[in-house]
Amino acid sequence: MSDHCFTRVLTVGLLLVTLGVKAQQFGGNPPSIKWDQVNTPAARVIYPRGMDSAGRRVANVIGQINNAIKPTIGFRQKQVNVVLQNQLVTTNGYVGLAPFRSEFYLVPAQNSFSLGSLNVTDQLAIHEFRHVQQYNSTDVGLTRLLHILFGEGGQQLASGLSLPNWFFEGDAVFNETYVTEQGRGRLPYFFNGFRSLWAANKDYSWMKIRNGSYRDYTPDWYPLGYMMVAYGRDQYGSDIWRKVGHDAASYRSLIYPFQSAVKRNTGRNFTSFRNAALEKFKTQLVDDGLKQGAAKYKKNQHFIGNQEFPVYVNDSTLIYRTSSYKQRSAFVMRTGTKEERIRLADFSIDSYFTCRNGQIVYASRRPDARWGYREFNELKVIDVKSGAQKKITNRTRYFAPAFNADNSRIVAVDVPTDGQYALHILDADGKLISKVPNSEHLYYTYPKFYNEQQIVSAVRKPTGEMLLALIDIATGNIEPLTPATIAPKAFPVVQKDTIYFTGTSGIDDKLFAVSVADRKLYELEGDSLRNFIGNYQPAVSDNKISWVSFSAFGFRLHEASKATLQPREVKAPLGLPDMQVASLQHGEGVNALNKITDQPLPTSKYPKFTHPFNFHSLIPYIEDPDYLVSLMGQNILNTLQSELSFGYNRNEGYKQIGATMIYGAMFPYLFGGVQYTIDRRDLRLDQNRNPVEVNWNETRLQAGLQLPLSFVNGRNISRLNLSSSINYSITDVKQAAFRSLYPDNTYLSNSITFSNQVSKPQQLIYPHFAQNITLSFRNTINDLSARQFLVSGSFYFPGLFDTHSLVISAAHQRRDRNYSIFSNQLSFSRGYTADNLYRLYKFGVNYHFPIAYPDAGFGDLVYLLRLRGNVFYDHTHGIDQYRSGAQFKANFRSAGAELYFDTQWFNETSITFGLRYTRLLDRDIFGGSGPDRFTLILPLSIF
């Protein structure tokens, strides 16, 4: 490979990997938040003032488990900055390079089956710090060389190309399972995706498992990675992945470095290794019963859709929530076999809702208009009969609401930013009546009114143990209904004096019932409950019971007569299984969380301007004849992004030096930049009509404001971006006779961009309804007196079928008559050579549709998920006042077709590219010949 080709690959690769870090929100926190820190050798934990206990806990967990688990991944250590975010309403975390930092989102999930019931700070510290250790230990060999040459962006590129995402996440999930009594590796829910495929005999290819599908359900890489990592540690020792990671990141083999590293350290080729790993879990998690349960679906059945959280209106009528790859989430009512939609659902974190007396209540997620790290969970009430909805709380953080018997009160879990969880009792209009005391610092999930004085809830203790309990509304006193164990419990539903719920027992999530009167616990059994992958979300009427289970075709609803159930009394559900992973019980790190002590670590203020530039990556951009190298910077709180650049143009030989910065901690962004260009040249005619080379240097200055706003109104996401800048250019021409041809210039640039859309299910190419409108105005404020105005819009509508889209676009641009210093901004008709005319009018129609879903790839390099087409017509009308001494008018019409390839590269990175055929219906006046044009459509998000 030539140096030139290598540089182009490196450039593209850096950008590809950079696209993967999308979790960060630039300028996402309001300036009112003050920050403190706990500084330890392994991690600097930065947190909002007042959250000292969370900051110290994270620092203690990281510091005290660090040495115990180093031998399994590597001993290199570099301190990481960890930022605790408390304004969001989701549970998440990440560790990223470029820059090297981590963020924790400190809201526990309601569903304890999905992530477990451990304290959220503990779980995030254990899982995410493992990623820190992974990055540190694999910064070796060629990865280290690229790190030295290109900074953390170089490390990110090399790491992303040598180590698969399943390795990072599987090893981190193993770590959380290894050092705790729980962890996702012990939760049956975690394996439901693969169990469903195995039960349905869906023998997908490795590349389909890795890259997904638009038609079929595929699990993500977390359980895949856990099974691979667990098998490796069982078979080849606790240090196997340290060796594999080191060899792969070192690029001991330049071709398929990870697969080669597996073979080098295990003696088995990668295909044999992965097949054996998956077979180990398949044999224990799938039996003939599960296969019989899946046999009722058609052999080649694709994903159908989800049916979740059923609620009985009466014995013959159910209300539940549906969603699919083609349809948006909606509340529906089913009577017999007839299904009727009540209303489309607003944006929500999950599908949970409750219904009583003809009213639905649920929590809807709403981001703050300006601050990306601030969100709210607000309560909505729907009238089942009319479908009308009203919002009853504003700027709240409520989860899992439920009505009392007569709908006069609502109980909801309040998760404030200070982490002091509570149950709130609200009236029917959403006004707070009372807060239930919570002296034991419990976390409540899915609360329900048992009576007017007591709430039943699946409760988490700070240790991670869970129990079903009655909570006294007045005092907060807890009456246990089940033993407290580390096994998750969820979805309680009240039927007279019996509480039904789902609990983990061994390798299954099962339905249980507890009698409140005598505290007897029963496991529900019967033929109607067998052969399903988990039994969740029970609903009970006088005579029937309904629930959902997981399948390869979605969460599916089941129903049975209560008379067919055989309750079997049990003392407690079985404990959590190790899934026959012996290595979970060996080594210094086993249950290390239980050994953590809360040491009084010192805290201090974290100044917001600490390391303001924090340059982390040197990124080359190559597009001949332009060559550019940029030094990228970003501070840890992600409020200041900076770039220093040096460029060279091979044609003219000029050099450019530039600096740009954007500051996002204030309500509007502040941005500015300076660019100095040396040795520009041009050919001009002197007074004797002889060609003369003119040389000059340029200085360009820019400063401005930008205000990005986001509005979520139920089922619509709207964004408004306001931008205004002043731009000043100074031209230093060396030849005095030509200085008047290159005047200095000052102009204003103002723009407004508005977009609005409804949610887009997976298979839709574009949302069924969306709008994108841009207004731009640029004008000089000096003697040049030049102006340019542009308005453009695209409007999206449903096509003839669910997955088709009709897109109509229109634009108009006008500029000053006598002077044009502004480049053309209007999207010209496809196929033509564009010119910046005095007046431009544009109209376009596009019809997008899927063609095929190949679900096939090659060599773990490229995978084709979807082939889709677009037929289009463009019509641009141009007018110019001073062309050939008279007014000039012309049409530029074209029609054609586009073929798009939606692909995944290296089993991880999504890229769409395409081919375009354009037939010109008018003459291309400004360049080109012939009416037929073929174009390669490259992804703008990458190049």
Side-chain angles (χ1 to χ4, degrees):
M1 179 181 292
S2 69
D3 292 341
H4 176 68
C5 290
F6 176 78
T7 305
R8 289 184 65 86
V9 170
L10 178 62
T11 302
V12 175
L14 284 169
L15 291 169
L16 283 176
V17 177
T18 303
L19 288 172
V21 186
K22 296 182 179 178
Q24 302 179 32
Q25 294 285 337
F26 177 69
N29 283 302
S32 58
I33 294 180
K34 310 300 180 185
W35 300 88
D36 288 335
Q37 63 178 323
V38 179
N39 202 341
T40 68
R44 176 190 286 111
V45 183
I46 304 163
Y47 56 88
R49 187 161 297 164
M51 297 193 67
D52 299 69
S53 59
R56 288 194 181 99
R57 179 64 181 180
V58 168
N60 273 310
V61 171
I62 288 174
Q64 294 175 48
I65 68 169
N66 185 18
N67 290 330
I69 58 178
K70 271 183 181 179
T72 63
I73 193 64
F75 297 92
R76 296 175 62 93
Q77 181 164 308
K78 175 184 177 183
Q79 186 190 56
V80 67
N81 292 287
V82 179
V83 182
L84 306 187
Q85 302 287 357
N86 67 339
Q87 303 285 315
L88 297 164
V89 294
T90 53
T91 309
N92 209 338
Y94 76 91
V95 177
L97 292 169
F100 185 43
R101 70 195 293 272
S102 179
E103 288 189 354
F104 297 176
Y105 304 162
L106 299 180
V107 172
Q110 282 285 300
N111 185 352
S112 301
F113 297 115
S114 61
L115 296 175
S117 56
L118 297 174
N119 184 295
V120 65
T121 54
D122 292 355
Q123 184 170 22
L124 288 171
I126 292 167
H127 182 98
E128 301 303 334
F129 187 70
R130 185 59 168 189
H131 291 320
V132 173
Q133 293 181 315
Q134 292 162 352
Y135 281 130
N136 284 336
S137 64
T138 57
D139 190 18
V140 294
L142 183 58
T143 298
R144 180 62 181 168
L145 177 61
L146 290 186
H147 187 173
I148 293 171
L149 294 176
F150 299 102
E152 290 169 358
Q155 181 187 356
Q156 188 172 2
L157 165 68
S159 179
L161 294 178
S162 63
L163 300 167
N165 54 9
W166 66 255
F167 163 74
F168 285 105
E169 296 302 347
D171 180 63
V173 171
F174 187 96
N175 193 60
E176 71 185 53
T177 311
Y178 178 57
V179 304
T180 73
E181 295 180 280
Q182 193 181 81
R184 276 171 281 183
R186 292 190 177 95
L187 300 182
Y189 192 95
F190 184 64
F191 299 94
N192 280 352
F194 277 95
R195 293 181 85 177
S196 71
L197 297 189
W198 294 331
N201 292 315
K202 296 281 189 181
D203 296 321
Y204 295 149
S205 68
W206 173 253
M207 288 197 72
K208 183 166 181 174
I209 290 293
R210 291 289 287 116
N211 294 286
S213 170
Y214 282 107
R215 293 190 301 174
D216 298 307
Y217 167 77
T218 56
D220 64 29
W221 50 90
Y222 285 73
L224 173 66
Y226 177 79
M227 291 185 286
M228 303 279 281
V229 168
Y231 176 79
R233 289 184 64 150
D234 269 7
Q235 295 295 315
Y236 303 101
S238 62
D239 62 348
I240 179 62
W241 297 111
R242 185 188 74 197
K243 298 174 183 176
V244 170
H246 181 279
D247 288 356
S250 298
Y251 285 84
R252 290 189 61 179
S253 174
L254 291 176
I255 301 175
Y256 298 112
F258 188 84
Q259 292 91 325
S260 299
V262 169
K263 184 173 183 179
R264 182 178 298 109
N265 288 281
T266 67
R268 302 170 66 176
N269 66 57
F270 182 69
T271 300
S272 171
F273 177 91
R274 77 191 188 210
N275 289 342
L278 297 179
E279 188 64 27
K280 169 187 172 69
F281 287 86
K282 181 179 180 179
T283 54
Q284 61 175 305
L285 292 174
V286 177
D287 56 23
D288 290 339
L290 292 185
K291 292 182 179 180
Q292 292 172 13
K296 66 180 181 179
Y297 298 98
K298 293 184 295 184
K299 183 177 181 180
N300 296 319
Q301 177 68 57
H302 299 296
F303 184 83
I304 301 171
N306 292 317
Q307 300 168 314
E308 299 180 84
F309 294 102
V311 178
Y312 275 104
V313 177
N314 52 52
D315 276 349
S316 61
T317 303
L318 278 166
I319 293 176
Y320 48 92
R321 191 160 167 171
T322 64
S323 62
S324 75
Y325 289 173
K326 295 182 181 181
Q327 302 291 336
R328 290 184 283 165
S329 179
F331 301 100
V332 301
M333 178 185 292
R334 189 179 79 185
T335 303
T337 59
K338 182 181 178 182
E339 190 174 86
E340 178 184 356
R341 190 170 76 184
I342 298 169
R343 181 185 175 90
L344 289 172
D346 289 358
F347 292 106
S348 306
I349 293 172
D350 55 29
S351 298
Y352 182 75
F353 75 98
T354 57
C355 179
R356 201 160 200 164
N357 301 324
Q359 288 186 307
I360 289 170
V361 62
Y362 71 108
S364 175
R365 178 184 185 181
R366 182 174 68 84
D368 185 87
R370 165 62 181 87
W371 308 108
Y373 280 122
R374 176 184 284 175
E375 296 176 327
F376 308 101
N377 233 27
E378 301 169 332
L379 300 189
K380 307 285 181 69
V381 173
I382 299 173
D383 180 78
V384 171
K385 186 176 181 180
S386 66
Q389 176 178 276
K390 64 178 180 179
K391 183 171 74 170
I392 62 170
T393 68
N394 186 50
R395 297 177 69 85
T396 52
R397 295 166 58 87
Y398 285 141
F399 296 79
F403 287 114
N404 68 344
D406 63 1
N407 291 38
S408 63
R409 294 195 293 171
I410 297 170
V411 61
V413 180
D414 180 50
V415 185
T417 56
D418 62 4
Q420 300 299 311
Y421 315 128
L423 290 175
H424 281 193
I425 308 300
L426 315 171
D427 67 16
D429 295 320
K431 295 179 181 178
L432 180 63
I433 297 174
S434 64
K435 300 179 182 179
V436 179
N438 184 15
S439 59
E440 297 182 37
H441 304 290
L442 305 172
Y443 186 67
Y444 308 100
T445 66
Y446 304 111
K448 300 283 175 52
F449 280 94
Y450 177 67
N451 53 40
E452 295 305 305
Q453 293 78 42
Q454 293 175 303
I455 302 294
V456 63
S457 174
V459 177
R460 294 187 204 166
K461 292 186 172 183
T463 58
E465 291 183 312
M466 291 198 73
L467 68 155
L468 204 67
L470 289 175
I471 303 103
D472 186 275
I473 294 175
T475 66
N477 290 339
I478 299 293
E479 293 183 39
L481 296 176
T482 66
T485 69
I486 200 66
K489 301 166 183 66
F491 316 127
V493 60
V494 179
Q495 177 67 9
K496 298 180 180 178
D497 64 346
T498 302
I499 311 298
Y500 296 82
F501 66 99
T502 302
T504 297
S505 182
I507 64 171
D508 294 298
D509 295 325
K510 301 178 179 179
L511 293 183
F512 292 87
V514 60
S515 169
V516 176
D518 56 16
R519 303 297 196 266
K520 288 185 177 180
L521 179 65
Y522 300 90
E523 181 182 327
L524 302 185
E525 297 180 338
D527 291 342
S528 56
L529 290 170
R530 294 193 182 101
N531 303 336
F532 296 121
I533 300 171
N535 294 317
Y536 305 100
Q537 305 164 17
V540 185
S541 69
D542 290 336
N543 300 300
K544 290 187 176 181
I545 183 169
S546 179
W547 70 98
V548 302
S549 64
F550 195 77
S551 75
F553 319 102
F555 279 105
R556 306 307 294 165
L557 181 64
H558 312 288
E559 195 173 12
S561 168
K562 288 169 66 177
T564 64
L565 304 182
Q566 295 94 45
R568 178 175 63 87
E569 185 176 354
V570 294
K571 295 300 181 183
L574 297 175
L576 293 179
D578 282 346
M579 303 296 179
Q580 300 179 19
V581 178
S583 52
L584 289 174
Q585 300 302 328
H586 303 291
E588 184 182 352
V590 173
N591 292 338
L593 182 65
N594 290 339
K595 305 168 189 175
I596 301 296
T597 58
D598 289 330
Q599 299 177 3
L601 300 173
T603 65
S604 62
K605 178 182 178 181
Y606 183 79
K608 292 183 179 181
F609 284 96
T610 302
H611 301 300
F613 299 110
N614 192 32
F615 291 111
H616 54 77
S617 301
L618 189 68
I619 300 182
Y621 297 89
I622 311 298
E623 187 173 356
D624 191 64
D626 292 311
Y627 297 79
L628 181 72
V629 176
S630 290
L631 181 63
M632 311 297 294
Q634 176 186 308
N635 67 335
I636 298 304
L637 292 180
N638 201 9
T639 56
L640 180 65
Q641 293 180 351
S642 50
E643 177 183 1
L644 301 178
S645 63
F646 174 80
Y648 174 75
N649 180 275
R650 186 173 59 84
N651 285 349
E652 290 189 38
Y654 65 76
K655 284 75 69 178
Q656 284 184 338
I657 301 172
T660 60
M661 283 188 291
I662 180 168
Y663 181 64
M666 300 176 65
F667 193 71
Y669 294 170
L670 307 178
F671 63 89
V674 57
Q675 184 183 78
Y676 184 59
T677 306
I678 306 169
D679 295 334
R680 294 273 340 245
R681 64 174 184 262
D682 193 8
L683 284 178
R684 290 283 183 173
L685 298 178
D686 63 14
Q687 293 178 345
N688 299 319
R689 310 296 293 175
N690 295 318
V692 176
E693 183 177 273
V694 180
N695 304 97
W696 73 95
N697 299 334
E698 288 179 353
T699 303
R700 296 179 179 272
L701 304 171
Q702 182 189 52
L705 303 172
Q706 181 181 355
L707 181 58
L709 299 173
S710 176
F711 307 96
V712 173
N713 181 18
R715 295 166 298 192
N716 289 64
I717 300 176
S718 301
R719 292 183 174 88
L720 178 65
N721 190 71
L722 310 175
S723 179
S724 180
S725 66
I726 183 169
N727 304 266
Y728 180 46
S729 65
I730 306 170
T731 305
D732 180 16
V733 180
K734 297 177 181 179
Q735 294 91 339
F738 293 98
R739 286 174 184 168
S740 63
L741 299 177
Y742 302 90
D744 297 346
N745 183 33
T746 306
Y747 70 92
L748 298 175
S749 179
N750 303 286
S751 67
I752 300 174
T753 300
F754 173 79
S755 65
N756 175 66
Q757 72 168 76
V758 298
S759 59
K760 185 182 79 66
Q762 178 169 310
Q763 279 194 9
L764 270 63
I765 298 170
Y766 294 109
H768 273 170
F769 293 100
Q771 306 83 40
N772 194 319
I773 300 170
T774 297
L775 290 89
S776 173
F777 181 66
R778 298 189 289 181
N779 67 291
T780 58
I781 52 176
N782 57 10
D783 294 338
L784 294 179
S785 186
R787 296 177 297 278
Q788 184 189 70
F789 171 76
L790 170 72
V791 57
S792 64
S794 295
F795 306 89
Y796 299 77
F797 303 96
L800 297 176
F801 300 94
D802 284 340
T803 56
H804 292 206
S805 293
L806 173 66
V807 184
I808 297 174
S809 60
H812 169 58
Q813 179 177 282
R814 58 172 56 207
R815 63 169 174 80
D816 186 79
R817 292 185 178 213
N818 56 12
Y819 203 85
S820 177
I821 66 167
F822 301 119
S823 61
N824 177 34
Q825 291 185 298
L826 182 137
S827 178
F828 220 76
S829 292
R830 278 162 279 196
Y832 287 95
T833 303
D835 196 1
N836 187 11
L837 302 179
Y838 167 61
R839 296 285 189 268
L840 285 170
Y841 303 85
K842 164 75 181 300
F843 172 77
V845 179
N846 296 265
Y847 190 86
H848 296 267
F849 54 93
I851 297 173
Y853 301 93
D855 285 349
F858 171 75
D860 285 334
L861 298 176
V862 59
Y863 184 82
L864 181 57
L865 291 110
R866 180 172 60 188
L867 194 65
R868 55 185 174 90
N870 174 42
V871 292
F872 65 86
Y873 171 77
D874 287 343
H875 186 144
T876 300
H877 180 68
I879 302 173
D880 202 279
Q881 291 290 333
Y882 299 98
R883 189 170 295 274
S884 302
Q887 188 180 70
F888 166 85
K889 294 183 179 180
N891 289 323
F892 304 88
R893 298 171 300 157
S894 63
E898 296 169 332
L899 182 63
Y900 288 97
F901 302 85
D902 294 325
T903 64
Q904 290 272 114
W905 289 75
F906 311 113
N907 290 330
E908 295 187 20
T909 302
S910 298
I911 300 177
T912 294
F913 62 92
L915 302 171
R916 177 187 298 142
Y917 164 71
T918 308
R919 176 72 177 183
L920 273 56
L921 305 180
D922 300 293
R923 185 167 64 92
D924 190 357
I925 299 172
F926 306 114
S929 61
D932 299 306
R933 306 289 168 88
F934 294 90
T935 308
L936 175 64
I937 306 170
L938 297 177
L940 295 179
S941 59
I942 294 174
F943 296 95

